[in-house]
Amino acid sequence: MKKLILGMAIVASAFVFGQKGDVNAQLQTANKAAMDAYNAKNYAAAAPKFVEVYDLLKANGQDNKIYMYYAGLSHALANENDAAIKIYTDLIDSGFTGVETTYTAKEKKTGQVVNLDKATWELMKKNSDYSDFKTEQTKSIEPDLYETLSTLLLNAKKGNEALVIIEKGLAKYPNNAKLKEAQSTAYLQSGNTDKFVSGLKEQLAKNPNDATNWYNLGVMQAKSPATVNDAIESFKKAIELKPDFSDAYQNLVYTTIGDDGKVVGEINALRKDKPDEASKLIDARRERFGKALPYAEGWYKANPKSLDAVTALKEIYIVTKNMDKVKEMKAKEAELSSAAK
């Protein structure tokens, strides 16, 4: 979420309210309080002050919604999601884009460039003391509105509402990568896993170097026995792109080993009456643990303070009969457990 540097004064108000000193004073006071609070990262205090500036301007004929945008941004940065969601929703519904035109002229005597409101700028063109009359249009912030509102809704676990906003935004900005990413998350959050997976694959087709998306795809593929091998390849790709990706290593370990509790139960049930079949399961189990070993070692290397990584590695060494390493991991396990107390 972008943080704006708010150094903007109320340029037009001094001219529009030139004869209304009390109103102008209120505006300047509220604007200064808002910007001071924002720059001090006191976003909860900044938000209502920006609303106050907006209300004062609106009451005097200027519906300048940029101040409501600042208020919404401040609410968002203060983690006041509900208030931020309402403001961002209202801004999008109103058609606000944040595009503004600034008007400047240069004082010939001092060489200083001054900001003017449009009416004054037009009048000053007749004044020989000014030159270099210019206009400049600010960039649209509409994509940011859609991106931020989508994020706020997803953070609030409102996946279905987020999808509505995301689809509305993508209709205007079909190549917006952040909205595409948010769409995938919204599909997952709203329970539409097929579309979530399709979205991940679409993103990876455009950017195959995204380790997080490979990991997320692997997580979804690991949920189905039919795509477990695909999951393993996805996790490997994530690690290839991000060698210290601890979570990808962890999932590789558990996906490679599979449901070990179930296998151990089957082995125990067969030991007495069908020892040969039990032996086959034991060999297959040892083979899976052997395949998982380098991933577990990678997990431990990526996150040596993870008790889960140490315990998993210890269990793999037990199954693969590497007792020196078992001893080493038991000592590390005890060390980490003691530190956690």
Side-chain angles (χ1 to χ4, degrees):
M1 190 181 298
K2 287 187 269 185
K3 292 186 180 181
L4 298 184
I5 299 173
L6 302 178
M8 182 178 177
I10 305 176
V11 176
S13 63
F15 296 101
V16 176
F17 304 125
Q19 303 303 317
K20 300 179 182 180
D22 55 337
V23 175
N24 193 55
Q26 289 179 59
L27 276 165
Q28 298 297 342
T29 298
N31 186 58
K32 184 178 185 304
M35 290 191 295
D36 287 349
Y38 186 95
N39 289 329
K41 298 185 179 181
N42 187 356
Y43 304 119
K49 282 298 177 181
F50 282 125
V51 174
E52 183 180 341
V53 173
Y54 171 77
D55 288 340
L56 283 167
L57 285 169
K58 188 175 182 181
N60 287 274
Q62 292 188 58
D63 188 6
N64 193 342
K65 287 186 172 62
I66 191 66
Y67 291 99
M68 287 306 295
Y69 170 67
Y70 293 156
L73 179 64
S74 297
H75 279 306
L77 292 170
N79 295 317
E80 296 169 344
N81 269 22
D82 289 345
I85 286 170
K86 184 180 186 311
I87 289 176
Y88 274 88
T89 301
D90 289 345
L91 288 172
I92 287 174
D93 289 345
S94 73
F96 172 74
T97 64
V99 174
E100 291 188 326
T101 303
T102 57
Y103 301 86
T104 61
K106 183 187 287 186
E107 290 181 344
K108 290 181 179 179
K109 186 176 181 180
T110 64
Q112 181 179 357
V113 175
V114 294
N115 291 308
L116 305 167
D117 68 285
K118 184 178 180 181
T120 305
W121 184 77
E122 293 289 354
L123 287 172
M124 288 295 188
K125 285 182 177 180
K126 301 174 183 178
N127 189 327
S128 60
D129 293 333
Y130 290 84
S131 64
D132 293 347
F133 292 88
K134 295 179 180 178
T135 64
E136 186 176 342
Q137 200 169 61
T138 60
K139 187 179 178 181
S140 172
I141 59 172
E142 190 174 35
D144 176 75
L145 295 178
Y146 282 105
E147 292 166 12
T148 304
L149 180 55
S150 300
T151 300
L152 290 167
L153 289 167
L154 290 172
N155 288 345
K157 305 301 180 185
K158 297 180 178 179
N160 288 322
E161 291 180 40
L163 275 174
V164 173
I165 294 299
I166 291 164
E167 287 168 5
K168 185 176 179 181
L170 286 173
K172 288 190 172 186
Y173 306 99
N175 297 318
N176 187 296
K178 289 183 179 179
L179 288 177
K180 281 285 187 181
E181 184 178 344
Q183 186 181 46
S184 291
T185 305
Y187 282 141
L188 179 62
Q189 200 175 97
S190 60
N192 198 330
T193 54
D194 288 343
K195 284 190 175 181
F196 174 62
V197 170
S198 295
L200 286 175
K201 289 180 177 179
E202 181 182 339
Q203 291 176 55
L204 286 168
K206 293 178 180 177
N207 180 16
N209 296 321
D210 189 322
T212 299
N213 278 343
W214 279 112
Y215 170 78
N216 288 335
L217 180 59
V219 169
M220 300 309 297
Q221 291 168 330
K223 293 178 183 292
S224 170
T227 52
V228 164
N229 289 334
D230 293 331
I232 289 172
E233 293 306 313
S234 293
F235 291 136
K236 285 182 179 179
K237 187 66 177 178
I239 289 168
E240 179 185 325
L241 294 166
K242 187 180 177 184
D244 62 346
F245 203 153
S246 175
D247 288 349
Y249 279 113
Q250 179 176 354
N251 279 21
L252 255 178
V253 170
Y254 293 134
T255 304
T256 301
I257 290 173
D259 189 348
D260 192 53
K262 180 182 177 182
V263 172
V264 170
E266 291 174 352
I267 291 170
N268 289 334
L270 292 169
R271 278 184 187 277
K272 185 176 180 181
D273 298 326
K274 299 179 180 179
D276 290 343
E277 290 186 28
S279 294
K280 289 179 182 178
L281 291 180
I282 290 169
D283 291 341
R285 178 176 184 250
R286 187 178 296 116
E287 183 179 350
R288 285 194 300 275
F289 273 69
K291 287 181 179 178
L293 177 57
Y295 309 139
E297 289 175 335
W299 179 14
Y300 176 58
K301 183 179 178 181
N303 192 0
K305 293 185 178 180
S306 168
L307 182 58
D308 288 338
V310 171
T311 300
L313 192 50
K314 180 195 72 176
E315 295 299 327
I316 290 173
Y317 284 137
I318 289 172
V319 174
T320 56
K321 300 185 182 302
N322 189 335
M323 301 318 292
D324 288 340
K325 286 292 187 179
V326 170
K327 185 178 179 181
E328 179 185 332
M329 289 301 108
K330 280 185 175 180
K332 188 67 179 179
E333 192 176 42
E335 177 190 328
L336 292 173
S337 297
S338 178
K341 291 180 180 178

